[in-house]
Amino acid sequence: MAAGFGISTDTAGEHHFRLGARNGESFAVSEGHSSRTAAHNDIASVQQNASVAEIVELDCSLRARSRAIQSGHEHCQG
């Protein structure tokens, strides 16, 4: 099986994409989208941006890092 994206609809009617490995395991799952088109758009964004994305060592929790990014700070605490 080739690695790739798949789109599914959950019981709440939200559409999620999964990025699967060649062994069939999912290693990334998106948030819920209101439409299949929105899920497709996010897949296109991942495909476009992944090739230029930097690998960053995080010295804090993902939640703290997310809050720092949202508030415009480069570094986070805790």
Side-chain angles (χ1 to χ4, degrees):
M1 172 182 234
F5 291 93
I7 296 178
S8 61
T9 305
D10 65 21
T11 57
E14 291 190 320
H15 307 279
H16 301 264
F17 71 80
R18 298 179 188 285
L19 178 55
R22 290 182 186 191
N23 65 3
E25 291 185 32
S26 294
F27 58 88
V29 179
S30 74
E31 63 186 4
H33 297 82
S34 60
S35 69
R36 292 182 80 74
T37 299
H40 277 277
N41 290 342
D42 265 5
I43 290 171
S45 177
V46 169
Q47 290 172 320
Q48 179 180 358
N49 292 300
S51 65
V52 296
E54 294 181 41
I55 298 173
V56 180
E57 294 293 333
L58 301 177
D59 57 353
C60 58
S61 73
L62 291 176
R63 182 171 294 177
R65 177 70 177 150
S66 178
R67 284 192 307 263
I69 290 170
Q70 290 173 354
S71 63
H73 296 93
E74 187 172 328
H75 302 286
C76 57
Q77 297 180 9

